[in-house]
């Protein structure tokens, strides 16, 4: 038994802290009083049916939207950054450096008029890489890692299948080695067999790189395969959270019981 | 040395969508199990053996009582621990061996079996070799190693799961009928694996349907129906 592994893993500080966060749209509640912590290397799932507030929550976390109340803090170089309060240029710099967003529709995350290699290289250039040969080398390497033939480096994403586009988007997001990744239904809209491949790939990449991730999905099977912890949302509120297998196998809340009994997971 | 201590554990299920019916499954369970022991949970069908095992793993939420597990030289209560602490304990201290294999469809058998070694920092080459040895021992022929087990027979999948579970021992292992539906030869291999783990100091708590198997692995028994302290086998 290697005890050093324990102390290393348990001494870590959380990467993200969310305290009583709410987002209102006028009278309407997007999400209300959400609190949680996320640690490095942890994968958190957010499940609930459409309209439950899970995408609103994700958008606020990823700084694509501003919360109405509450705090979102990100650990950065030994201090806590109040993400919503950061001035716009600083937030943009942080987004490029520290986190990535995988959109449900790859068209929202890719530049469709730019080659596959360009889509990956752009993020590297944002991160300060200037050597053209090195950018191409890394882009080819990442195409291979997401199982796209590296010889298609100069092809446009619009000539790729849906599954390939999604894998390209993942390469574009992960190439800059973010500490935190947000994913909105990353396997939505794909065939079941393609989904399985993508899930396997995502899990391996996230585990190997020690990335923390927040994944929104309505698919409980996806949540079971990919996530460590789960939050269940209904009407904008987190009604249950805990270990993924505990929430799915021994749900406490009436709504979660309904959700888990309606499908095979 | 005790590895697991269960005190006053009760479990009830409230079925909110079936008229909020409450099922009381376990009441006032107490026992302890130590390193180098194999404690058998026994009781009639429906007595709550599997429920108890799932509580120990943190898969079910404990209604009342404490489930103390020795992790990294400390006692941690699974019943109240944070999710991430339970994940930590499962990574290093506590594993659950069922007869069912649950993995992402596409991963090859050899990678599934070597996974736990890789997660503990063993080099890829050594991990693959040890995985091969373990699969051979469980009579999974090399021609299957490169394939994903989705297309394997039920018994083959079960043996892949056993291989993955026993390739790297955790200090505490929970066994949920690991020998069920195996043929005699493979069942004997699993019994050997269990006894080897025990002799190397692992604390095992298990459910076994077959009395013959129980007799070959048990060092103590706990009867759920009468909920009395374990006695020497």
């Amino acid at each position: 038994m290697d005890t050093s592994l324990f102390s290393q893993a348990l001494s870590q500080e959380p990467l993200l802290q969310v305290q009583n966060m709410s987002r209102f749209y006028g009278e309407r509640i997007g999400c209300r009083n959400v609190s949680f912590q996320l640690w490095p290397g942890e994968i958190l799932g957010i499940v609930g049916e459409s309209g439950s507030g899970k995408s609103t929550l994700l958008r606020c976390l990823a700084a694509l939207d501003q919360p109405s109340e509450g705090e979102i803090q990100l650990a950065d170089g030994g201090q806590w950054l109040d993400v919503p309060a950061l001035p716009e240029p600083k937030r943009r710099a942080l987004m490029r450096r520290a986190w990535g967003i995988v959109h449900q529709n790859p068209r929202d995350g890719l530049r469709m008029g730019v080659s596959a290699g360009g889509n990956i290289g752009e993020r590297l250039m944002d991160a300060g890489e200037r050597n053209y040969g090195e950018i191409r080398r890394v882009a080819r390497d990442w195409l291979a890692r997401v199982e796209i033939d590296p010889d298609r480096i100069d092809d446009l994403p619009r000539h790729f299948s849906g599954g390939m586009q999604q894998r390209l988007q993942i390469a574009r997001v992960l190439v800059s080695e973010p500490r935190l990744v947000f994913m909105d239904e990353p396997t939505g809209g794909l065939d079941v067999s393609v989904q399985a491949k993508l899930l396997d790939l995502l899990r391996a990449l996230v585990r190997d790189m020690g990335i923390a991730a927040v994944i929104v999905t309505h698919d409980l099977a996806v949540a079971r395969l990919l996530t460590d912890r789960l939050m269940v949302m209904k009407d904008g509120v987190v009604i249950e959270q805990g270990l993924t297998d505990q929430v799915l196998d021994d749900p406490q809340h009436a709504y979660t019981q309904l959700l888990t009994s309606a499908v095979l997971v | 040395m005790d590895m697991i201590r269960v005190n006053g554990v009760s479990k009830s299920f409230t079925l909110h969508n079936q008229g909020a019916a409450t099922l009381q499954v376990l009441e006032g369970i107490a026992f302890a199990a130590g390193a180098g022991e194999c404690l058998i949970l026994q009781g009639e069908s429906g007595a709550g053996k599997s429920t108890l095992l799932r509580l120990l793993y943190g898969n079910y939420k404990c209604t009342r009582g404490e489930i103390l597990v020795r992790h990294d030289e400390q006692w941690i209560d699974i019943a109240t621990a944070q999710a991430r602490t339970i994940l930590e304990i499962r990574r290093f201290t506590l594993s659950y061996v069922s007869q069912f294999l649950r993995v992402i469809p596409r991963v090859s058998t050899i990678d599934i079996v070597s996974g736990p070694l890789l997660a503990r920092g063993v080099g890829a080459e050594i991990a693959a070799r040890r995985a091969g040895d373990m699969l051979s021992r469980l009579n999974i022929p090399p021609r299957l190693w490169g394939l994903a087990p989705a297309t394997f027979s039920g018994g083959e999948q079960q043996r892949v799961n056993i291989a993955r579970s026993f390739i790297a021992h955790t200090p505490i292992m929970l066994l949920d009928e690991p020998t069920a539906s195996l043929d005699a030869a493979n069942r004997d291999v699993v019994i050997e694996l269990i006894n080897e783990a025990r002799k190397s100091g692992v604390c095992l708590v298990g459910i076994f349907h077959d009395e013959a198997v129980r007799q070959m692995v048990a060092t103590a028994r706990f009867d759920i129906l009468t909920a009395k302290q374990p006695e020497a086998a």
Side-chain angles (χ1 to χ4, degrees):
Chain A
M1 203 189 325
D2 184 349
T3 42
S4 67
L5 282 171
F6 298 128
S7 38
Q8 179 201 350
L10 278 178
S11 65
Q12 286 170 342
E13 291 285 307
L15 179 63
L16 185 73
Q17 294 201 104
V18 178
Q19 226 9 279
N20 295 323
M21 196 214 82
S22 301
R23 175 67 170 107
F24 305 112
Y25 300 99
E27 294 285 284
R28 199 166 64 76
I29 296 168
C31 60
R32 188 157 58 95
N33 268 336
V34 176
S35 300
F36 69 90
Q37 294 178 311
L38 185 71
W39 277 265
E42 201 173 39
I43 307 182
L44 174 70
I46 306 175
V47 297
E49 54 199 23
S50 40
S52 61
K54 55 192 197 305
S55 292
T56 301
L57 173 59
L58 192 79
R59 288 180 59 79
C60 288
L61 296 177
L64 297 172
D65 195 358
Q66 282 274 352
S68 312
E69 287 170 7
E71 288 180 6
I72 301 173
Q73 293 185 303
L74 183 77
D76 190 55
Q79 55 174 338
W80 289 105
L81 294 180
D82 181 355
V83 176
L86 287 176
E88 185 62 22
K90 221 179 155 186
R91 190 161 65 222
R92 288 195 160 278
L94 186 72
M95 283 173 77
R96 274 200 300 272
R97 181 165 53 82
W99 74 67
I101 303 169
V102 175
H103 298 269
Q104 175 174 8
N105 187 337
R107 284 183 191 81
D108 296 334
L110 291 173
R111 294 201 21 205
M112 299 304 281
V114 173
S115 71
N119 266 287
I120 298 174
E122 200 173 45
R123 288 274 294 195
L124 284 173
M125 285 163 71
D126 279 348
E129 180 60 55
R130 289 289 173 268
N131 181 327
Y132 179 76
E134 176 64 11
I135 290 173
R136 268 189 86 82
R137 189 193 64 76
V138 175
R140 286 181 70 92
D141 181 46
W142 265 95
L143 286 173
R145 281 180 82 170
V146 298
E147 298 169 11
I148 296 173
D149 181 356
D151 289 342
R152 300 199 63 178
I153 187 167
D154 296 316
D155 290 0
L156 293 176
R158 81 166 67 96
H159 298 135
F160 288 0
S161 69
M164 282 168 74
Q165 286 179 4
Q166 193 55 297
R167 296 203 299 278
L168 180 61
Q169 188 192 188
I170 288 164
R172 177 180 158 96
V173 168
L174 296 186
V175 67
S176 57
E177 301 189 358
R179 286 180 291 148
L180 179 56
V181 176
F182 300 100
M183 303 190 199
D184 190 0
E185 304 276 7
T187 61
L190 298 176
D191 291 344
V192 176
S193 64
V194 181
Q195 269 192 30
K197 274 184 157 185
L198 192 71
L199 286 173
D200 171 27
L201 181 74
L202 268 177
R203 196 156 87 151
L205 289 172
V206 170
R207 191 189 60 195
D208 290 351
M209 298 173 74
I211 297 171
V214 181
I215 299 176
V216 159
T217 180
H218 69 279
D219 186 332
L220 299 184
V222 168
R224 190 189 279 278
L225 283 174
L226 271 185
T227 68
D228 302 312
R229 283 196 298 138
L230 209 54
M231 299 203 302
V232 183
M233 292 191 74
K234 185 180 188 325
D235 302 330
V237 180
V238 176
I239 52 159
E240 184 162 352
Q241 60 175 312
L243 271 178
T244 295
D245 61 277
Q246 190 183 83
V247 171
L248 295 177
D249 292 338
D250 188 16
Q252 305 294 308
H253 192 281
Y255 176 72
T256 319
Q257 290 186 357
L258 198 63
L259 209 60
T260 52
S261 65
V263 282
L264 295 167
V265 282
Chain B
M1 181 176 70
D2 280 357
M3 292 300 291
I4 192 160
R5 286 179 184 159
V6 174
N7 295 318
V9 162
S10 301
K11 174 62 183 172
S12 58
F13 294 93
T14 304
L15 310 174
H16 291 287
N17 301 303
Q18 294 174 49
T22 299
L23 297 176
Q24 184 73 41
V25 179
L26 295 169
E27 182 79 63
I29 298 287
F31 64 81
E37 275 185 53
C38 181
L39 175 69
I40 306 294
L41 304 178
Q42 52 189 28
E44 285 169 30
S45 173
K49 301 183 291 290
S50 288
T51 297
L52 180 52
L53 210 60
R54 284 166 177 263
L55 284 170
L56 300 183
Y57 192 59
N59 176 234
Y60 282 177
K61 216 178 168 76
C62 187
T63 309
R64 220 174 20 254
E66 51 180 25
I67 297 164
L68 300 174
V69 164
R70 189 192 290 272
H71 169 69
D72 191 20
E73 307 301 313
Q74 288 177 47
W75 286 106
I76 294 179
D77 185 2
I78 294 276
T80 54
Q82 282 189 7
R84 76 180 214 100
T85 308
I86 296 179
L87 288 169
E88 196 68 30
I89 290 173
R90 287 180 181 179
R91 223 175 122 198
F92 297 107
T93 302
L94 182 69
S95 57
Y96 189 95
V97 187
S98 77
Q99 47 178 310
F100 303 107
L101 182 68
R102 187 173 234 157
V103 288
I104 291 185
R106 200 182 51 139
V107 185
S108 75
T109 297
I110 194 91
D111 286 349
I112 289 170
V113 176
S114 54
L117 291 175
L118 297 175
R120 283 166 173 75
V122 176
E125 222 170 287
I126 296 172
R129 197 171 61 235
R130 283 179 53 190
D133 291 347
M134 184 60 100
L135 286 166
S136 299
R137 209 172 153 187
L138 284 155
N139 303 306
I140 305 284
R143 64 183 166 81
L144 296 181
W145 297 356
L147 306 177
T151 54
F152 292 7
S153 74
E156 283 164 344
Q157 290 193 19
Q158 185 180 354
R159 281 177 278 141
V160 171
N161 193 45
I162 302 271
R164 179 179 63 161
S165 305
F166 279 90
I167 196 161
H169 297 153
T170 54
I172 305 171
M173 297 179 77
L174 307 174
L175 312 175
D176 190 356
E177 305 244 27
T179 56
S181 70
L182 288 180
D183 60 38
N186 284 307
R187 193 198 62 184
D188 290 348
V189 175
V190 177
I191 291 169
E192 264 173 41
L193 289 171
I194 291 170
N195 286 329
E196 282 169 19
R198 183 175 55 70
K199 283 172 194 154
S200 75
V202 173
C203 168
L204 300 115
V205 180
I207 303 169
F208 296 88
H209 190 70
D210 185 349
E211 179 56 33
V213 176
R214 287 185 210 161
Q215 286 185 10
M216 280 185 275
V217 298
T219 60
R221 296 176 184 235
F222 179 74
D223 199 320
I224 292 186
L225 207 62
T226 58
K228 61 184 178 189
Q229 294 301 311
E231 51 195 47

